[in-house]
Amino acid sequence: MSQHTRAKFQPSGKIQFGVFFQGVNSGTIWKAPESGSQTDFESFRRIAQTAERGLFAAFFLGEGLRLREHLGRPHALDVAGRPDAQTMLAALASVTSNIGLVATQNTTYNDPADLAHRLASLDLLSGGRAAWNIVTTDNAWTGANFRRGGYLDHADRYVHAEAFVETAKRIWDGVDATPRLPRSAQYRPVLFQAGDSPDGRNFAARQADVIFSAHPKFDDAVEFRADIVERSLAAGRGANDVKIMPASEFILAGSEQEAREKKEWVRSQQIGPQQAIAYLEQFWGRELSAYDPDGPLPDIEPAVEETSETRGSGFHGAKARELTAQWRAEAAEKGLTIRQFVTSRTARVDATFTGSYSSVADTLAEYAGVGAVDGFNISPWLIPTGLDDIVNHLVPELQERGVYPAEYAGNTLRENLGLATPVRSASLVPEPAR
């Protein structure tokens, strides 16, 4: 961070937490006896209310527009189904009071006027706690699920998204359109965004209030902060206008040894025998069920015929031969079985904080001290109890160090994140509901 930028950026000295309920993913343990359901309201209620008890700023819902597929078929190891984000968040608004409600919504397969109205409705009904996680989709595979195409050239995804967001803002502001609802207590929904390419970072610097980043490691987080501050200043915004909350996983216990043992159990549950084989199948392009997950990597060549995204997001055509050869050599050199190798490839190494409550609290206090991040968006590895250790033990440790809120700053998400109210763009904006 340049001296000029450092002079403008002022660390708050605090961190906050959000919770990211992903649903379909490989990091959540769904097969353990204590696991809940990814569709029952009770799972969402329990997580949201636990997070609110821990003064979390936001409850963040992922949303997918097509089921994952594996070798051309729906992924048999996935939990099926993901409730509509805004429907679920509207229900959660009635059983929570302060926590923000973040809906992942796509700019390619929505209409801006319709989405703006639905988000404004959630914002109004929740008392000013709604947020929109802006995502883009450009591939024909997802578009085909809508029976109408609608996909974009990859280079155009942020051009389209920016026009979409600007349209939504004009509707909320009463510019060129008359809003169908009065303003909420926080004026309009908070905007989250997670793009990490240069175009994605520029888009976030211009439009986002919060970046859901992929940079949780300390040095990387400091570098990312400096980059976003520079881009924000170049976009005519303040150095502190864009908050940063990287994705993270916490594996905690009373002692370092207990935490390490818990981590081993978590990893063994996240990547079981079937998951390990299925992971390799994406790259080999053929069924590998005959191979022992506790044996060496397959000694056969991958199939490299032309395929679509249904083969798996990691497949890269003819490069599969080179990649799988490298993997076989690496696994043999390190003495790793299929399951051990896949675990080493898929574990959230960079995004995981493992240790005792006090040691992890000390680590997070370092982040707060330099303003590397504004908080962490936590993906629980167990639903619905995955936040219990954090709320019951880590949060008090952070509060003792003076780096975590002791109470909610206000009633709206914008207040609780320390965001300024947007400047009204026109006199046509209706007054807030009373």
Side-chain angles (χ1 to χ4, degrees):
M1 190 179 293
S2 69
Q3 188 173 3
H4 170 72
T5 302
R6 190 179 296 111
K8 288 182 173 292
F9 175 70
Q10 299 296 322
S12 69
K14 302 280 187 179
I15 60 167
Q16 294 181 292
F17 288 147
V19 55
F20 182 30
F21 193 120
Q22 297 183 76
V24 177
N25 71 101
S26 60
T28 306
I29 299 168
W30 295 110
K31 61 182 180 291
E34 57 268 49
S35 297
S37 165
Q38 86 288 355
T39 56
D40 287 352
F41 179 70
E42 181 62 17
S43 295
F44 295 83
R45 182 201 64 78
R46 170 70 189 276
I47 282 283
Q49 290 184 339
T50 300
E52 187 166 74
R53 178 166 61 85
L55 303 176
F56 279 43
F59 179 90
F60 191 117
L61 273 184
E63 185 166 80
L65 299 179
R66 180 166 177 165
L67 288 176
R68 289 201 308 170
E69 295 182 18
H70 181 67
L71 300 182
R73 301 184 297 273
H75 202 319
L77 297 177
D78 270 354
V79 289
R82 203 181 229 168
D84 172 70
Q86 288 189 70
T87 303
M88 179 58 71
L89 293 174
L92 291 173
S94 68
V95 296
T96 57
S97 301
N98 296 96
I99 194 166
L101 305 167
V102 189
T104 297
Q105 297 287 275
N106 197 285
T107 57
T108 308
Y109 301 104
N110 278 293
D111 176 86
D114 175 64
L115 181 59
H117 179 65
R118 287 188 282 119
L119 288 167
S121 298
L122 178 62
D123 204 24
L124 189 64
L125 294 172
S126 65
R129 294 188 283 136
W132 171 19
N133 176 41
I134 305 162
V135 294
T136 64
T137 300
D138 54 46
N139 63 68
W141 179 67
T142 300
N145 207 38
F146 286 79
R147 309 285 186 184
R148 61 173 176 81
Y151 46 89
L152 302 165
D153 288 338
H154 188 70
D156 292 336
R157 67 197 190 282
Y158 284 117
V159 175
H160 177 83
E162 191 133 27
F164 191 110
V165 173
E166 285 293 339
T167 299
K169 284 183 174 179
R170 286 200 301 270
I171 291 170
W172 291 328
D173 291 349
V175 181
D176 302 328
T178 302
R180 294 158 63 188
L181 291 169
R183 287 186 292 119
S184 77
Q186 71 169 354
Y187 180 75
R188 68 183 182 211
V190 171
L191 301 182
F192 283 66
Q193 200 269 340
D196 197 34
S197 66
D199 285 344
R201 294 187 186 196
N202 284 333
F203 174 78
R206 291 191 297 266
Q207 300 289 352
D209 298 304
V210 184
I211 297 177
F212 180 20
S213 88
H215 302 277
K217 299 297 281 186
F218 187 83
D219 290 343
D220 196 18
V222 170
E223 182 179 335
F224 183 76
R225 165 70 81 184
D227 183 65
I228 293 301
V229 169
E230 294 282 3
R231 292 174 193 266
S232 298
L233 291 171
R237 301 180 70 185
N240 288 75
D241 282 2
V242 182
K243 307 298 182 183
I244 299 174
M245 297 182 73
S248 58
E249 177 189 57
F250 286 79
I251 302 176
L252 309 172
S255 69
E256 298 297 313
Q257 178 62 31
E258 288 176 298
R260 285 192 293 269
E261 292 172 356
K262 183 183 287 189
K263 182 177 182 178
E264 290 180 8
W265 179 84
V266 170
R267 295 291 183 251
S268 71
Q269 295 295 305
Q270 289 172 327
I271 304 296
Q274 291 177 297
Q275 286 83 3
I277 293 295
Y279 181 83
L280 292 190
E281 286 176 340
Q282 294 181 51
F283 299 90
W284 263 260
R286 60 179 81 221
E287 292 191 5
L288 301 173
S289 58
Y291 285 83
D292 180 1
D294 293 316
L297 269 63
D299 56 0
I300 59 174
E301 289 297 307
V304 296
E305 68 275 6
E306 191 70 27
T307 60
S308 71
E309 291 94 333
T310 64
R311 177 155 173 177
S313 61
F315 178 66
H316 297 290
K319 293 181 180 179
R321 286 201 179 102
E322 179 183 345
L323 181 66
T324 54
Q326 292 174 352
W327 283 5
R328 277 195 297 265
E330 180 184 342
E333 180 183 352
K334 297 179 179 179
L336 299 177
T337 66
I338 288 176
R339 183 154 44 157
Q340 290 170 333
F341 179 80
V342 172
T343 298
S344 72
R345 300 289 305 181
T346 59
R348 298 168 177 165
V349 177
D350 290 340
T352 302
F353 293 89
T354 303
S356 67
Y357 307 118
S358 60
S359 68
V360 171
D362 287 339
T363 298
L364 300 188
E366 294 180 28
Y367 283 77
V370 300
V373 300
D374 295 285
F376 295 91
N377 215 16
I378 300 170
S379 298
W381 42 265
L382 192 63
I383 300 293
T385 60
L387 295 183
D388 291 3
D389 277 355
I390 296 168
V391 171
N392 295 338
H393 302 289
L394 179 60
V395 165
E397 291 274 358
L398 293 169
Q399 289 171 329
E400 287 182 8
R401 289 160 176 75
V403 299
Y404 192 87
E407 61 183 4
Y408 280 109
N411 295 319
T412 71
L413 177 57
R414 198 171 292 278
E415 288 175 296
N416 291 326
L417 289 172
L419 296 168
T421 299
V423 176
R424 287 203 275 179
S425 301
S427 59
L428 299 175
V429 182
E431 289 302 311
R434 301 296 183 188

